[in-house]
Amino acid sequence: MAKVDGASEEQSALIFLGTGCSGGVPKAQCLIRPSNPPCPVCSQSLSVKPEHNPNYRCNTSLLIDYCQTNGDHNYILIDVGKTFREQVLRWFTYYKIRRVDCVLLTHEHADAVHGLDDMCSMQQSGLVNDASQIPVYATQECMDSALSRFPYLRKSEHKQGRVDWKIIEENFEKPFVASGLQVYPLPVMHGEDYVALGFLFGNKCRVAYVSDVSQFPSTTEDGE
């Protein structure tokens, strides 16, 4: 279920941090070089507060507030894109979220991974849990691409690194457990020849989260 005001502290919840395109909404171009008449969607962002504006959207991202049977909460983040810092300022403060326990990455594009540096800065300042590294689940291809842009997140002989990379197996057949939550990877087509991931999770209520998709392969459609 989505996070709502007054939700029980003993319930799990889904917090949609962003539902926008890679560039976000409003588009900067629409605001600095407005058309005549101006774009009704982007121009609205100047007059309505972001938290009450359905057209003020950050990069696609989901925060799973997973309440375990013992009442403890784990916070599982799906994707950490270019607008992650703004998502923290808007929604983490609003819902009083103090940490991220692990991250799931759908693919290596900028709108899914370019907030890794901001996330690690949060970790250093104590916003993440007590562990020195944060687990990040990704395919080998996604991890390699992210490390080519953020090489200092790599573990080396003399440096522990700030991210504990967890590789999602290529066959995508096996579920994995992220911060206590069992997750099934869902391969989907993102464009004509590029495979991204969605995720299936939940026990009492099954939730399939797919953010960037152009086509569902038959193996995903016919799966659990």
Side-chain angles (χ1 to χ4, degrees), residues 105-107 139 141 168-176 183-191 193-200 208-224:
L105 297 179
T106 60
H107 63 306
T139 63
E141 180 182 11
I168 300 173
E169 295 185 17
E170 287 188 13
N171 59 16
F172 305 125
E173 293 179 356
K174 294 182 180 179
F176 57 91
V183 179
Y184 292 82
L186 301 175
V188 297
M189 301 308 299
H190 179 25
D193 57 357
Y194 179 79
V195 177
L197 292 180
F199 298 104
L200 177 69
Y209 178 80
V210 183
S211 56
D212 280 344
V213 57
S214 56
Q215 183 178 353
F216 287 92
S218 58
T219 52
T220 298
E221 288 184 332
D222 297 337
E224 184 178 0

Side-chain angles (χ1 to χ4, degrees), residues 81-153:
K82 297 178 289 183
T83 59
F84 177 67
R85 183 177 182 275
E86 182 177 356
Q87 292 168 344
V88 170
L89 297 178
R90 290 176 61 190
W91 301 120
F92 280 53
T93 57
Y94 182 79
Y95 289 117
K96 297 179 174 59
I97 305 296
R98 296 183 56 84
R99 69 183 192 273
V100 171
D101 292 298
C102 72
V103 177
L104 316 180
L105 297 179
T106 60
H107 63 306
E108 75 265 21
H109 290 170
D111 58 346
V113 306
H114 270 199
L116 282 170
D117 184 71
D118 287 322
M119 182 197 64
C120 288
S121 296
M122 286 172 41
Q123 181 183 4
Q124 286 185 322
S125 63
L127 194 57
V128 186
N129 57 24
D130 294 334
S132 59
Q133 295 178 302
I134 183 167
V136 176
Y137 294 80
T139 63
Q140 184 71 49
E141 180 182 11
C142 180
M143 183 195 74
D144 291 342
S145 177
L147 286 176
S148 70
R149 286 168 276 180
F150 304 99
Y152 48 85
L153 299 182

Side-chain angles (χ1 to χ4, degrees), residues 1-66:
M1 64 179 177
K3 186 85 172 185
V4 296
D5 291 337
S8 170
E9 295 297 324
E10 303 303 319
Q11 292 180 335
S12 296
L14 303 178
I15 303 174
F16 289 87
L17 301 177
T19 57
C21 57
S22 179
V25 181
K27 293 181 64 176
Q29 180 182 355
C30 283
L31 298 181
I32 63 176
R33 292 193 298 273
S35 58
N36 187 15
C39 167
V41 172
C42 293
S43 59
Q44 185 195 57
S45 67
L46 299 179
S47 59
V48 180
K49 292 182 178 181
E51 59 267 28
H52 300 299
N53 189 343
N55 291 319
Y56 196 109
R57 306 187 184 193
C58 294
N59 293 156
T60 304
S61 180
L62 179 72
L63 185 67
I64 305 169
D65 176 358
Y66 175 49

